[in-house]
Amino acid sequence: MAQLALTVTRRWASAPLALRIALVYLTARVITTVLMIAAAQQSTSLSRFGAEPGLADFIVGWDAQWYWLVAEEGYPADLPLTESGEVAENAWAFMPVFAFAAKAVGFLFGSWGMGAFLLSFVAGYFACLALHRLLRDRIGQQAAMWAVVFFAAGPIAAMFQVGYAETLFLLLLFLALDATVRRRYVWLYLLIPVMAFTRPGILAFALYLGLHGILRWWHRREDPLRPREIAHIIALGALATVAGFSWQVIAGVATGDPGAYLATELAWRRNWLVGGVEGFIPFEGWIQASQFWFGQWGLPTSWGPIVLALLVVGVGAALIYLPQVRALGPDLRLWSASYLLYLLAVFFPQSSTFRLLLPLSPAWGALAVPRSRLWRMGVLAACVLGQWVWIYNVFALGNTFWQVP
């Protein structure tokens, strides 16, 4: 038995990396599929999907419906209004790259849903390859592979198999981070615009590029910073900033309303807060949400901002001091800080929060650093358990405000 295990281990180690990651990824997708089938069997008529839905219903459910609408009908020239005269939920909240790419792929199969599934599925595999490449020089080959395992089987792994833009964005993000870390800045001139029109978040990357430039300048004596690299970093930061605000401009021009995009995004927030919202104020969403959720949980609402402040301090301390996080290197920690600050500035935390944390996936590397097999298997078990909890709630039971993926 020991000899057999040794033989299997040697063959696994000698297999091409792309094959090993493919086997990990496909195994994870089988697990996710089984969990989704189990959720479908437990779905009732009270669920958004009705009794006994098929996997195809899950693929095109929730936000995937909006991407399908974008692909089929485009964006509204006139913003829809609620009965009270406020801007209603509409397609301007969803970027075009995934929607139309899925339509192009789906054309071969006569189905947008099939195109969306294949695009998410294939992008997920390449994202695993890119994540391994991003981490291996920092935490080692073995730990990088475990990070890929956690990523592929994580609590929100259903995103690899549904019509959301998340996995395509993650692929682009990992490639962009890798290009930045390796100083191959030219690639970013292609990646940044595509990222900007795939999913919101490019402004966080603009902040990261600024911090990356400051870091390089600070260490310029031991790590020479050439004038050409300075020019690239400044130009790319400007490109990411312009790209980050361009969708607001496009929506404003197309609808004739300069505030069309922000009003559209706030339409979703109004569903959570009694009395709605007056307008967008940076960082206000988290304070409002902390009070909202503490009230929902039957706790004093005044505790919300206090706990939020403690959470921010705790996360900041973890990024600075935890040795497992420090092992990821300064660039990946700067990206994590940039994206978290971006979320803190623009987001209203609610049921989609876990999905919106996916761009922090390089942090799986920190959980993979400890070499204990018991620890790694425990993390993997927690990932699969979390995946079932998420799938069960948003698909089998999804019918109320806190079950939106």
Side-chain angles (χ1 to χ4, degrees):
M1 183 65 69
Q3 184 63 36
L4 177 61
L6 181 61
T7 300
V8 171
T9 301
R10 287 176 176 174
R11 289 185 176 179
W12 172 259
S14 63
L17 176 64
L19 176 60
R20 282 182 283 151
I21 290 180
L23 292 174
V24 166
Y25 184 70
L26 291 175
T27 301
R29 301 287 59 76
V30 169
I31 293 172
T32 300
T33 301
V34 170
L35 295 179
M36 294 178 79
I37 291 173
Q41 292 174 344
Q42 297 188 43
S43 182
T44 70
S45 58
L46 297 178
S47 167
R48 175 188 183 93
F49 297 94
E52 300 182 1
L55 291 178
D57 297 310
F58 292 162
I59 291 171
V60 297
W62 294 110
D63 284 1
Q65 287 289 302
W66 285 106
Y67 287 112
W68 170 82
L69 185 66
V70 168
E72 294 300 317
E73 299 184 10
Y75 295 92
D78 298 313
L79 293 174
L81 302 177
T82 63
E83 293 182 358
S84 60
E86 297 172 312
V87 174
E89 299 171 353
N90 66 84
W92 281 108
F94 300 88
M95 305 299 183
V97 168
F98 179 83
F100 290 106
K103 183 176 183 179
V105 176
F107 176 79
L108 302 174
F109 302 91
S111 166
W112 182 90
M114 177 58 76
F117 166 76
L118 290 175
L119 185 57
S120 292
F121 187 90
V122 174
Y125 168 64
F126 284 106
C128 288
L129 289 174
L131 180 62
H132 187 278
R133 174 181 168 86
L134 181 62
L135 294 174
R136 67 189 183 195
D137 294 339
R138 287 150 193 84
I139 61 175
Q141 294 274 356
Q142 187 183 63
M145 181 61 77
W146 273 103
V148 169
V149 171
F150 300 154
F151 172 62
I156 319 297
M159 287 293 105
F160 293 113
Q161 298 174 218
V162 296
Y164 276 59
E166 258 61 25
T167 52
L168 179 58
F169 182 84
L170 289 175
L171 170 59
L172 297 167
L173 172 64
F174 296 162
L175 292 174
L177 289 172
D178 188 67
T180 306
V181 170
R182 297 177 188 275
R183 297 17 173 346
R184 297 175 179 174
Y185 298 117
V186 173
W187 285 103
L188 296 178
Y189 290 101
L190 172 63
L191 291 169
I192 284 174
V194 182
M195 288 169 63
F197 292 98
T198 299
R199 176 191 176 278
I202 196 63
L203 288 176
F205 197 81
L207 174 59
Y208 159 67
L209 284 173
L211 296 175
H212 168 81
I214 293 172
L215 181 69
R216 296 244 12 226
W217 177 262
W218 185 262
H219 294 286
R220 65 189 183 279
R221 290 186 178 179
E222 60 268 28
D223 181 15
L225 180 60
R226 295 174 296 177
R228 185 193 313 177
E229 291 179 320
I230 296 175
H232 278 313
I233 294 171
I234 293 174
L236 289 167
L239 175 63
T241 302
V242 171
F245 287 105
S246 62
W247 191 244
Q248 297 183 38
V249 175
I250 292 171
V253 171
T255 62
D257 181 352
Y261 177 71
L262 286 179
T264 297
E265 289 288 359
L266 290 176
W268 269 267
R269 190 180 299 185
R270 293 192 194 97
N271 295 333
W272 294 82
L273 297 176
V274 176
V277 290
E278 295 297 325
F280 172 73
I281 300 176
F283 302 103
E284 182 183 46
W286 281 81
I287 298 173
Q288 291 176 331
S290 67
Q291 297 169 326
F292 169 82
W293 284 110
F294 270 70
Q296 291 291 313
W297 298 330
L299 299 172
T301 57
S302 60
W303 292 6
I306 297 173
V307 173
L308 173 62
L310 293 175
L311 179 63
V312 171
V313 171
V315 172
L319 288 173
I320 296 172
Y321 297 113
L322 272 184
Q324 295 84 357
V325 179
R326 291 176 64 87
L328 300 178
D331 270 284
L332 295 186
R333 288 189 292 147
L334 286 177
W335 159 250
S336 298
S338 299
Y339 186 72
L340 287 171
L341 183 60
Y342 165 79
L343 285 185
L344 196 63
V346 306
F347 185 54
F348 178 89
Q350 28 85 357
S351 59
S352 297
T353 300
F354 299 107
R355 173 172 60 85
L356 294 183
L357 292 176
L358 279 173
L360 297 174
S361 290
W364 283 117
L367 292 177
V369 167
R371 296 185 178 183
S372 166
R373 180 173 298 179
L374 180 62
W375 166 261
R376 287 169 170 171
M377 294 305 295
V379 173
L380 179 58
C383 285
V384 176
L385 177 61
Q387 191 177 160
W388 166 246
V389 171
W390 194 82
I391 289 173
Y392 180 69
N393 276 284
V394 304
F395 291 125
L397 302 182
N399 64 355
T400 189
F401 69 96
W402 59 269
Q403 294 167 324
V404 180

